[in-house]
Amino acid sequence: MELNGFSSISSGMPQQERLLPTSSFSGIRVSTATGQTNSSVSGVQLGKFNIPSKTCATSKRFSVRSILADVAKDYMTFQAPVFEKPEVDPKAVASIILGGGAGTRLFPLTGRRAKPAVPIGGCYRLIDVPMSNCINSGIKKIYILTQFNSQSLNRHISRTYNLGDGMNFGDGFVEVLAATQRQGESGKKWFQGTADAVRQFIWMFEDAKHRNIENILILSGDHLYRMDYMDFVQHHINSGGDISVCCLPVDESRASDFGLMKIDETGRIRQFLEKPKGENLRSMQIDTTALGLSAQEARNFPYIASMGIYLFKTEVLLKVLRWHYPEANDFGSEVIPMATKDFNVQAYLFNDYWEDIGTIKSFFDANLSLTDKPPKFHFYDPQKPIFTSPRFLPPSKIEKCRVQDSIISHGCFLRECSVEHSIVGIRSRLEYGVELKDTMMMGADYYQTEAEIAALLAEGKVPVGIGRDTKIKNCIIDKNAKIGKNVIIANKDGVEEAERPSDGFYIRSGITVVLKNTTIKDGTII
């Protein structure tokens, strides 16, 4: 049996049980045939002895001395107790999710929507990831800062995380804070960066109703990962940090794409360089075994990179943005590097799956990797689910199809088609003879009835979905796309970059991107 870090072993005596420490201890129990004791010195519970009434005084003394001798002998082998700091209350934490900038690297998917509103995994949106991580971590005071193309993002948040209609937060809240103009010359500017966006709303945390918020978590709205933020917050409190930065180990091939850190033996960040190259890159190598990695892992991943997830003491965030660095506009390239000199900035290692969905290539790869066996990330965690808008769609209908290593979302119609290593989004329609391979299809926002589809085809028009005998490979198909019959999208010439908006598509990093609401006519070859 086990009790408070102890495992029970037999001492060889009948009806006797002793507890020896297996880790940091917090109690001991010794029981015998003649009595029972609990002790309480430096974590040992001392209680009353239950001695049978017929036992003589000498036997009593002998029993007590024998028991205490056993306790003393075991106790001498104990290490000094470690008193953990109290657990942090999630109610004392607020999160700010950054709604992203213009999203130029993810264009054309961001042509009509904010980055966090981009669909992922067939039925989710990127914003669902940090929102769900907050909810699963018990953090229910959530702000979302938006600026560019925020209409679809605002609609999704209101439908999914509305206090009355969607997720019920109790005493929590979800508030969208849109970029606004204010009085004065500086007030006429929009958000100039991540730090400036938070600075423009920092006055809210001086309000009396937020006086109990002790720490503020800064999150990005375009990352894919699953994390318990309260582990991060607990580490922040235990380390005594003013600011904490979430980091992950990376190899040399990816290191120059991130802000890199060097730390001391206490985990304090002593140097921070944003996307270093050459000699500067090599100078940022550290021994990552100090963070708990094995020797082999440390050789493979000699750098630690910032994930763009930051935790501030509330009063420190006010000081940093208002008084210390009032001109700094970005957390990663300005605030954090300067703060390492003036504040205790701690590193927190997150050694699990994490992906920055910042480019078309990373977005495409992250989606298709969901079909791997087993996937590095999946949405099927009953303990920590990823929430999204409840659409109340029927199950998908699949007629005589070949589906291999793929994800088919709900509400789809597939008829005698082939789907391989692809994701088929909600309300998708694939007609007879369609071949889909290495493709991310986002689906549709609405259905067309069989009568409407027949009428469109009779008029020579193209309905929403993919028409008969169309072959598509290595492609992203945005929502509500209308692709006709006998179309071939394969990029056989291996074009890396192309802009053909008038024809309804772009090519980015060799991946064809079919635009939202576009029409690809019958017989088109791309």
Side-chain angles (χ1 to χ4, degrees):
M1 62 179 295
E2 290 195 6
L3 177 65
N4 295 331
F6 294 84
S7 61
S8 64
I9 63 171
S10 173
S11 67
M13 296 177 63
Q15 296 183 344
Q16 181 178 19
E17 184 183 74
R18 292 165 49 200
L19 294 176
L20 296 182
T22 59
S23 61
S24 298
F25 72 95
S26 58
I28 181 170
R29 185 180 70 191
V30 179
S31 62
T32 67
T34 58
Q36 181 173 328
T37 182
N38 296 307
S39 81
S40 166
V41 179
S42 297
V44 181
Q45 296 293 321
L46 284 173
K48 295 182 178 179
F49 297 101
N50 299 317
I51 307 298
S53 59
K54 292 184 180 180
T55 305
C56 67
T58 302
S59 297
K60 286 185 180 180
R61 286 195 299 271
F62 177 81
S63 298
V64 171
R65 286 172 182 169
S66 176
I67 293 167
L68 290 178
D70 282 344
V71 172
K73 183 172 65 176
D74 289 340
Y75 179 71
M76 292 299 291
T77 66
F78 294 161
Q79 296 179 354
V82 177
F83 297 100
E84 295 186 358
K85 296 188 178 181
E87 289 191 8
V88 182
D89 185 354
K91 294 181 180 179
V93 182
S95 66
I96 299 175
I97 302 176
L98 303 172
T104 53
R105 295 186 303 155
L106 207 53
F107 184 85
L109 300 181
T110 53
R112 297 185 181 182
R113 59 168 78 91
K115 270 199 298 184
V118 173
I120 188 171
C123 64
Y124 302 91
R125 293 181 185 255
L126 282 171
I127 190 65
D128 292 329
V129 174
M131 286 294 301
S132 299
N133 284 336
C134 284
I135 296 167
N136 293 329
S137 302
I139 299 172
K140 298 178 182 178
K141 296 180 174 70
I142 306 170
Y143 293 101
I144 303 166
L145 300 184
T146 65
Q147 178 164 288
F148 294 95
N149 290 331
S150 58
Q151 187 268 339
S152 63
L153 176 60
N154 293 342
R155 183 178 63 229
H156 178 75
I157 292 169
S158 65
R159 288 178 177 177
T160 310
Y161 306 103
N162 184 286
L163 294 181
D165 300 328
M167 299 303 302
N168 188 355
F169 288 145
D171 60 347
F173 57 81
V174 176
E175 291 187 17
V176 176
L177 305 176
T180 58
Q181 292 190 340
R182 295 161 288 117
Q183 296 294 327
E185 189 64 29
S186 62
K188 295 180 181 179
K189 298 178 181 179
W190 300 109
F191 296 155
Q192 301 300 301
T194 55
D196 183 64
V198 175
R199 180 187 292 115
Q200 291 194 28
F201 286 98
I202 199 68
W203 55 269
M204 292 190 310
F205 296 101
E206 297 174 318
D207 194 291
K209 70 178 181 178
H210 295 317
R211 64 185 179 276
N212 294 326
I213 295 178
E214 300 172 0
N215 296 282
I216 298 176
L217 187 62
I218 310 294
L219 305 171
S220 177
D222 56 356
H223 296 164
L224 181 61
Y225 63 109
R226 180 180 278 106
M227 179 179 177
D228 187 341
Y229 295 135
M230 292 313 297
D231 291 341
F232 182 26
V233 178
Q234 190 68 56
H235 176 273
H236 172 72
I237 298 298
N238 293 348
S239 68
D242 299 313
I243 305 167
S244 290
V245 180
C246 208
C247 61
L248 75 161
V250 294
D251 58 21
E252 189 159 352
S253 64
R254 301 180 65 198
S256 60
D257 296 332
F258 299 95
L260 300 183
M261 297 171 282
K262 295 188 81 169
I263 61 174
D264 63 17
E265 64 279 0
T266 67
R268 181 170 178 173
I269 300 172
R270 295 297 183 179
Q271 188 179 0
F272 189 104
L273 287 182
E274 183 73 8
K275 299 180 180 179
K277 310 287 183 185
E279 281 301 320
N280 287 335
L281 173 62
R282 285 184 284 275
S283 71
M284 296 303 291
Q285 287 189 3
I286 68 166
D287 180 10
T288 49
T289 57
L291 294 169
L293 271 67
S294 68
Q296 181 61 43
E297 289 174 325
R299 284 191 292 271
N300 295 335
F301 304 101
Y303 301 92
I304 53 172
S306 169
M307 296 166 57
I309 298 175
Y310 313 109
L311 185 63
F312 289 80
K313 289 182 178 178
T314 302
E315 66 272 16
V316 171
L317 184 62
L318 292 167
K319 291 177 183 177
V320 162
L321 297 182
R322 273 239 177 98
W323 311 114
H324 284 261
Y325 321 120
E327 302 299 322
N329 291 327
D330 187 73
F331 281 115
S333 61
E334 297 176 88
V335 171
I336 300 301
M338 291 189 290
T340 57
K341 300 178 177 63
D342 301 324
F343 295 90
N344 181 1
V345 184
Q346 291 282 325
Y348 172 77
L349 182 70
F350 178 73
N351 193 16
D352 206 337
Y353 178 84
W354 174 88
E355 190 63 52
D356 180 7
I357 312 294
T359 66
I360 291 294
K361 182 74 165 68
S362 64
F363 173 81
F364 184 70
D365 291 343
N367 271 281
L368 292 192
S369 70
L370 297 173
T371 67
D372 291 346
K373 298 181 291 187
K376 295 178 181 178
F377 179 89
H378 61 82
F379 289 93
Y380 311 102
D381 189 329
Q383 302 301 321
K384 298 178 180 178
I386 303 298
F387 301 100
T388 192
S389 177
R391 300 179 179 91
F392 311 110
L393 293 172
S396 291
K397 188 175 182 181
I398 301 175
E399 302 174 358
K400 299 180 181 179
C401 298
R402 175 180 173 271
V403 179
Q404 180 178 347
D405 300 335
S406 299
I407 295 174
I408 310 298
S409 300
H410 37 285
C412 299
F413 294 91
L414 280 66
R415 298 184 176 95
E416 298 185 29
C417 59
S418 172
V419 181
E420 181 179 348
H421 193 230
S422 298
I423 292 181
V424 179
I426 56 173
R427 304 187 189 91
S428 292
R429 182 183 62 85
L430 278 66
E431 288 294 350
Y432 301 94
V434 168
E435 293 180 11
L436 210 62
K437 185 177 181 180
D438 301 330
T439 293
M440 162 61 175
M441 183 176 183
M442 294 186 182
D445 291 319
Y446 58 92
Y447 281 123
Q448 290 177 324
T449 65
E450 292 295 330
E452 290 172 331
I453 293 172
L456 289 169
L457 292 173
E459 296 173 7
K461 297 180 180 179
V462 181
V464 174
I466 302 177
R468 286 174 176 253
D469 300 318
T470 287
K471 312 291 189 290
I472 299 176
K473 182 179 180 181
N474 203 43
C475 182
I476 298 173
I477 305 172
D478 208 336
K479 281 198 167 185
N480 307 327
K482 307 175 184 70
I483 300 176
K485 58 187 179 182
N486 297 310
V487 173
I488 297 176
I489 302 176
N491 189 17
K492 289 185 177 180
D493 296 332
V495 176
E496 283 294 307
E497 304 289 330
E499 298 188 10
R500 303 278 292 277
S502 59
D503 295 325
F505 71 92
Y506 284 74
I507 297 178
R508 291 285 184 266
S509 302
I511 302 162
T512 306
V513 182
V514 177
L515 301 179
K516 183 177 182 179
N517 298 325
T518 199
T519 300
I520 305 294
K521 296 180 179 179
D522 296 348
T524 300
I525 298 177
I526 300 175

